[in-house]
Amino acid sequence: MTSYAAVVGPGGAGANDAAELLTLAEQVGRGLAGHGVIVVTGGLDGVMAAACRGASSVGGITVGLLPGDVRGAGNQWLSVALPTGLGELRNGLLVRAVDVVVAVGGSWGTLSEVALAVRTGTPVIGLRFWSITGDGVDPTAVLEVQSASAAVDAALGAIRR
Amino acid sequence: MTSYAAVVGPGGAGANDAAELLTLAEQVGRGLAGHGVIVVTGGLDGVMAAACRGASSVGGITVGLLPGDVRGAGNQWLSVALPTGLGELRNGLLVRAVDVVVAVGGSWGTLSEVALAVRTGTPVIGLRFWSITGDGVDPTAVLEVQSASAAVDAALGAIRR
Amino acid sequence: MTSYAAVVGPGGAGANDAAELLTLAEQVGRGLAGHGVIVVTGGLDGVMAAACRGASSVGGITVGLLPGDVRGAGNQWLSVALPTGLGELRNGLLVRAVDVVVAVGGSWGTLSEVALAVRTGTPVIGLRFWSITGDGVDPTAVLEVQSASAAVDAALGAIRR
Amino acid sequence: MTSYAAVVGPGGAGANDAAELLTLAEQVGRGLAGHGVIVVTGGLDGVMAAACRGASSVGGITVGLLPGDVRGAGNQWLSVALPTGLGELRNGLLVRAVDVVVAVGGSWGTLSEVALAVRTGTPVIGLRFWSITGDGVDPTAVLEVQSASAAVDAALGAIRR
């Protein structure tokens, strides 16, 4: 059966390492799609668009679950652009729709997706993702990797388990 | 820009004219996909599967918004199968995601989709759909047609408007 | 355990019998609350506000599930006003939250709520509601009544079953 | 206008300081309700129940947005128990419905609520909440306090702003 991976990350360019994040996200999208994985994102710009661009460059299928009501808000590399009108509630829908979540960079929206994924048992791979510490945090909940290729390998491994 | 049409209708086989409905749904799916329209359904059996089978037969893209949490519940003709875990609330999501709704046959779930579409201004084409009468019902709210080809033509017309 | 009833119906004043509908909705709300039933509505005007006003007049608890993001859009008779930001998807949430649905008058939004309720097995009482006919329509799916007091009695009966 | 605060936190008893968290949550619920604030929670056990118990002890209104379909799963201190059937997506609904979020303790579900609140501009108060660090984290996004009374004061201050 076809597998599905979410690539999540900041939509904007606020971070210091924004350009590097986009390169990483594009590599992750390309790597996943190269293995036949459908790439699902929030459909907008930044990391979302970069992952779609990468997946699209090797002929992969990309799906965007847009927060608003307008299809045209989706980035240009989406095979399928679905306006949900759910606002940030679409983050939870995105997590549900996939077999694994890859977070590239951090943002509060990204954090909500990672938290929901861990909560519901969907595997999460983190690449330049934020750190979470505190009483009861399982340090293995997010599998931290250091490169795009390692993120792809870890995602494929999580899907196969 | 690519257009999206929902094909909605009964998932089960209770209706007297079930076999005929499936044939009609398959023709509608094939006709829409033949014009490059992405066909979105609830992803399950009956009219949903028939529309996907038709669209798939001409190489079209089909999307299933599944009510449950399990991707495997989707029919075999889905290009993209998205578990939503929303139950019947996914009916509203389906309506939001498309440019036009084609109802083939009637059921209570189908009726909820048609009603939400009319309520939110998405055009609705009805083929063997139920009748709704009462104070304040606009008789033109659902455009009734008598054949699969007329349904496809009406849907394409509604998208272009 | 406390019971919950949705009172649904047109929010606007388009119908010929709008004033009469508001009177009926107020009587239904009052009657339900008089029996300790919590009245849940879509929180806006028209039938929704009238039902809340009636329930509030006898000290009942009223809950509004608002379609938008702004609490202030709720009518003034709400004990609890919850903005959902779901738009018309909140109609499905409303149906899920209650033990019985009473439709006073008809509209497309009301129809979506009734259809979802029948689809998911929540009992529906109809007072001046629309008629639905077609292949496979169970004529007993919506219990039609002719007065506010009959609607209250039927709703209480459905809750107790 | 009446104000609404969410009290969020772990539902289970895994944390080392579970008993202390429950005491804090109860004090927060009581303090908020004592100022006329409606307390909204996820409706289940642990911190959610403790906050409701506290609010209920001073006659406050408590609302539970339950993840499942069954009202009976709600804790016994709920004035209004609403089954949403949304699973963990109800976390986003909870955040939308309130004017301020108070997190007592940490868990992945709690983290998803805090992240969505920060993302959407709802003020967040943290009491024994987890720490989040990384590129782009605004350290003032969650206002950390050290006691239940400070949490109540901060929540009231955030509402009034």
Side-chain angles (χ1 to χ4, degrees), chain B residues 89, chain C residues 88-97 112-113 116, chain D residues 84:
Chain B
L89 278 176
Chain C
E88 293 304 307
L89 278 177
R90 72 83 155 79
N91 296 6
L93 203 67
L94 175 54
V95 166
R96 270 193 190 162
S112 74
E113 293 163 320
L116 285 168
Chain D
T84 68

Side-chain angles (χ1 to χ4, degrees), chain A residues 117-145:
Chain A
V118 176
R119 176 73 180 85
T120 56
T122 302
V124 183
I125 318 299
L127 177 59
R128 311 279 170 100
F129 181 62
W130 290 354
S131 288
I132 302 148
T133 51
D135 186 39
V137 176
D138 174 356
T140 68
V142 176
L143 178 55
E144 291 285 344
V145 295

Side-chain angles (χ1 to χ4, degrees), chain B residues 15-17 86-89 91-93 96 106 108-109 111-112 115-116 118-120 130-138 141, chain C residues 15-17 86-89 91-93 96 106 108-109 111-112 115-116 118-120 130-138 141:
Chain B
N16 294 330
D17 53 359
L86 295 176
E88 294 304 307
L89 278 176
N91 297 5
L93 202 69
R96 271 193 190 162
W108 292 100
L111 182 62
S112 75
L116 285 168
V118 176
R119 176 73 181 84
T120 55
W130 290 353
S131 288
I132 302 148
T133 51
D135 187 39
V137 176
D138 175 354
Chain C
N16 294 331
D17 53 358
L86 295 176
E88 293 304 307
L89 278 177
N91 296 6
L93 203 67
R96 270 193 190 162
W108 291 100
L111 182 61
S112 74
L116 285 168
V118 176
R119 176 73 180 85
T120 55
W130 289 354
S131 288
I132 303 149
T133 51
D135 187 39
V137 177
D138 175 355

Side-chain angles (χ1 to χ4, degrees), chain A residues 15-18 21 85-93 96 106-112 114-116 118-120 129-138 141-142, chain D residues 14-18 21 85-93 96 106-109 111-112 114-116 118-120 129-138 141-142:
Chain A
N16 294 330
D17 53 358
L21 284 186
L86 295 177
E88 294 304 307
L89 278 177
R90 72 84 154 79
N91 296 7
L93 203 67
R96 272 194 189 160
S107 72
W108 291 100
T110 308
L111 182 61
S112 75
V114 167
L116 285 168
V118 176
R119 176 73 180 85
T120 56
F129 181 62
W130 290 354
S131 288
I132 302 148
T133 51
D135 186 39
V137 176
D138 174 356
V142 176
Chain D
N16 293 331
D17 54 357
L21 285 185
L86 295 177
E88 293 303 308
L89 279 175
R90 72 85 154 77
N91 296 5
L93 203 68
R96 271 192 190 162
S107 72
W108 291 100
L111 182 61
S112 74
V114 167
L116 285 168
V118 175
R119 176 73 181 86
T120 56
F129 181 61
W130 289 353
S131 288
I132 302 149
T133 52
D135 187 40
V137 176
D138 175 355
V142 176

Side-chain angles (χ1 to χ4, degrees), chain B residues 93-155:
Chain B
L93 202 69
L94 176 54
V95 166
R96 271 193 190 162
V98 299
D99 305 306
V100 64
V101 173
V102 182
V104 182
S107 73
W108 292 100
T110 308
L111 182 62
S112 75
E113 294 162 320
V114 167
L116 285 168
V118 176
R119 176 73 181 84
T120 55
T122 302
V124 183
I125 318 299
L127 177 60
R128 310 279 171 100
F129 181 62
W130 290 353
S131 288
I132 302 148
T133 51
D135 187 39
V137 176
D138 175 354
T140 68
V142 176
L143 178 55
E144 292 284 345
V145 295
Q146 304 302 326
S147 69
S149 63
V152 172
D153 288 348

Side-chain angles (χ1 to χ4, degrees), chain C residues 40-68:
Chain C
V40 188
T41 74
L44 301 178
D45 296 326
V47 159
M48 297 173 264
C52 293
R53 190 170 60 236
S56 181
S57 73
V58 293
I61 295 180
T62 59
V63 178
L65 297 177
L66 298 162

